[in-house]
Amino acid sequence: MRLKIAILAGDGIGPEVTNEAVNILKAVAEFGGHDFTFVPLLLGGVAITATGSPLPTATLDACLESDAVLLGAVGDKKFDALTPDKRPESGLLQIRHALGGFANLRPSIAYPALSANSPLRPEVTEGADILFVRELLGGLYFGSPREWNKSTGEAWNTMRYTKSEVARVARVAFELASKRRRKVTSVDKANVLEVSQLWRATVTEVAKDYPAVTLEHQLVDSMAMHLMNIPRNFDVVLTENLFGDILSDEASIITGSLGMLPSATIGGTVNLYEPVHGSAPDIAGTGKANPLGAILTAAMLLRHSANLEEDAAAIESAVRTVLADGHRTADIARGNTASQHLVSTTEMGKLVHQALAQSIDQRQSMHAV
Ligand code: IPM
Ligand code: MN
C-alpha cells in the first residue's frame, strides 16, 4: 500500500508527539512492506514566523495532494495579542475548512490500567467507551457575521447551521453507532436556541433511517454533568462544533488526561488526523508530553485512510500493553500507584514501538502456520 502523508507538526509539543506517531507509522510500513512517504509542512505559529501566514499556500496545496494529513498542535503565546484571524489557530481552522472534513471523531475510553490515574473514581469510569462525533465546519467557529467593534464596544459571532450540514454529520454518527452499541446521544440547547431546535428536528428525522439505533437528546448543560456522573451510559455522542470542543476536553477526564485523546476528521476531500490536546507551551521541550494521543491518532489514520484495520488495532493494543506494564508520562502518573514507572515522550514512543513489533511478529508467525 502506498500512502503520502502530510505532516503538520505545528507548535509547542506538536513536533515532539508527532515525531513519535511518525515512528510508529514507519514501523507499520516496514513490517507490512508498505510504502509510506511523509511530507513535512508548516502550519500555525511556526508558519507565521517563517512566512507571515498561519497556513502558507504551499502547505495547503501539498495537503490537498496527499492521502492523509497528520497534525500535531498549533498555538503559541507569542501571538496572543493578535486578532483571531491572524493567530496560529486560524491556520488550523482554515486547513479544516479547506480539506472539507465535517465529522470529527473523538473517542474517549476508560483504560482499565489507568483507572487509578483518573480523578474520577474507578467505579465511575469503568466500562466507559464514548465516541464523540463533533461537527467541525459550522456553528460559531465559521458563522458570519462576526466582529469585535472596538469603537462601539460590541462583539458578536453567529451560530449558524443549515439542515443539510446537520443531516450529513448526523448520518455519520448513526452509521458509526450501528457498528457499536447502537445508541446516539444528540447534544443541543434546544430550550434556548433556534439553531438547536433545527439541530434536534433534523437529527430526529435522520434517525428514522436507522431504526436499530436508539436516539436520545440531551441539553448541553445537563450533558456536561451526566458525562462525569455515568459515562458508561453513552455510546456515540453527536454535537455541534463548540459543544463538542468543550465536552471532548471534559471527557478526557474519563480517560485520565487530554494527552491520551486522538481524533480523525472525515467526510471531506482529504481526512485530517490530530490529537485533541493543544500545543502545551509550558511543557514543550521538557520531554513531559504524552505522545499516546498522537500515536492513537496514527492508528485512526490507518483505519480511516488506509483500511489497515489490523494494524490500527495492533497499535491500540500496544498502547494498552504499555499502560498495563505501568509506564506513565507525567500527565497520567497521578495517584499513588506504586507500580507506575515515569517515562519521557521518546521513551513512551519506544515502548509502544516495542510492544507493536512483538504483536506484529506474533501475528505474522500465526499467519505463517
Ligand atoms: C481542538 C482545539 C481547536 C478547536 C483550537 C486550537 C482552534 O481546541 O481541536 O479542540 O477549538 O477546535
Ligand atoms: Mn478543543
Side-chain angles (χ1 to χ4, degrees):
M1 138 117 4
R2 293 181 81 142
L3 216 54
K4 191 164 150 194
I5 306 172
I7 304 292
L8 313 182
D11 305 317
I13 61 169
E16 300 161 47
V17 297
T18 305
N19 195 33
E20 300 311 317
V22 168
N23 283 342
I24 294 296
L25 289 171
K26 284 183 177 160
V28 167
E30 195 184 316
F31 295 133
H34 304 300
D35 178 10
F36 293 174
T37 49
F38 301 92
V39 188
L41 299 158
L42 293 172
L43 179 82
V46 285
I48 300 178
T49 305
T51 72
S53 158
L55 173 60
T57 319
T59 297
L60 178 56
D61 291 348
C63 286
L64 287 168
E65 278 165 24
S66 66
D67 300 304
V69 177
L70 179 64
L71 201 146
V74 296
D76 186 332
K77 288 198 167 64
K78 217 162 72 187
F79 306 104
D80 271 1
L82 300 180
T83 52
D85 58 315
K86 305 243 162 27
R87 292 168 60 111
E89 289 84 347
S90 89
L92 173 58
L93 298 177
Q94 286 175 50
I95 188 91
R96 283 178 182 170
H97 190 262
L99 297 179
F102 54 84
N104 179 225
L105 318 184
R106 297 188 161 190
S108 182
I109 297 170
Y111 293 98
L114 287 182
S115 67
N117 304 98
S118 168
L120 296 176
R121 288 197 307 276
E123 62 269 31
V124 174
T125 56
E126 195 190 349
D129 178 354
I130 305 175
L131 178 61
F132 283 87
V133 177
R134 170 189 176 193
E135 201 291 327
L136 205 63
L137 293 185
L140 285 166
Y141 280 69
F142 292 96
S144 59
R146 56 184 300 158
E147 193 182 329
W148 179 7
N149 187 326
K150 298 222 166 101
S151 56
T152 65
E154 273 179 294
W156 54 91
N157 290 89
T158 304
M159 192 190 270
R160 182 193 298 269
Y161 272 103
T162 64
K163 192 175 167 184
S164 66
E165 284 171 335
V166 179
R168 65 181 184 175
V169 72
R171 282 194 190 285
V172 172
F174 281 98
E175 290 292 335
L176 291 165
S178 308
K179 293 177 212 125
R180 293 171 48 101
R181 302 194 311 280
R182 294 196 291 281
K183 180 174 170 189
V184 170
T185 303
S186 174
V187 176
D188 60 42
K189 187 71 184 171
N191 52 346
V192 177
L193 305 175
E194 284 78 3
V195 64
S196 281
Q197 292 182 327
L198 167 80
W199 180 277
R200 191 176 280 216
T202 308
V203 174
T204 304
E205 206 175 305
V206 169
K208 291 188 185 134
D209 292 339
Y210 299 88
V213 178
T214 307
L215 168 65
E216 71 172 15
H217 300 283
Q218 285 283 350
L219 297 172
V220 62
D221 50 352
S222 81
M223 183 63 190
M225 181 265 295
H226 288 305
L227 202 50
M228 295 294 99
N229 199 25
I230 321 183
R232 81 176 67 84
N233 271 0
F234 301 103
D235 179 18
V236 172
V237 176
L238 170 64
T239 74
E240 67 86 51
N241 204 344
L242 182 65
F243 296 163
D245 179 46
I246 298 168
L247 292 178
S248 61
D249 267 33
E250 188 194 6
S252 73
I253 299 303
I254 297 163
T255 307
S257 161
L258 198 51
M260 291 294 301
L261 299 198
S263 96
T265 303
I266 63 171
T269 322
V270 182
N271 291 347
L272 172 64
Y273 300 88
E274 41 175 327
V276 173
H277 64 71
S279 58
D282 51 324
I283 57 160
T286 64
K288 284 191 185 154
N290 185 347
L292 296 180
I295 289 172
L296 292 166
T297 297
M300 293 188 89
L301 186 156
L302 295 174
R303 173 172 295 126
H304 294 282
S305 284
N307 212 11
L308 291 172
E309 175 56 40
E310 268 196 340
D311 294 294
I315 295 172
E316 288 159 354
S317 114
V319 166
R320 284 175 188 270
T321 303
V322 167
L323 293 174
D325 289 346
H327 302 293
R328 301 281 184 272
T329 43
D331 58 318
I332 46 174
R334 278 199 216 92
N336 290 328
T337 43
S339 55
Q340 65 188 15
H341 172 226
L342 195 64
V343 297
S344 70
T345 310
T346 50
E347 283 164 344
M348 186 60 109
K350 285 201 189 95
L351 287 160
V352 176
H353 184 282
Q354 274 165 22
L356 177 67
Q358 265 170 21
S359 89
I360 291 183
D361 259 2
Q362 273 168 15
R363 187 171 91 205
Q364 288 179 343
S365 55
M366 266 166 59
H367 285 188
V369 288

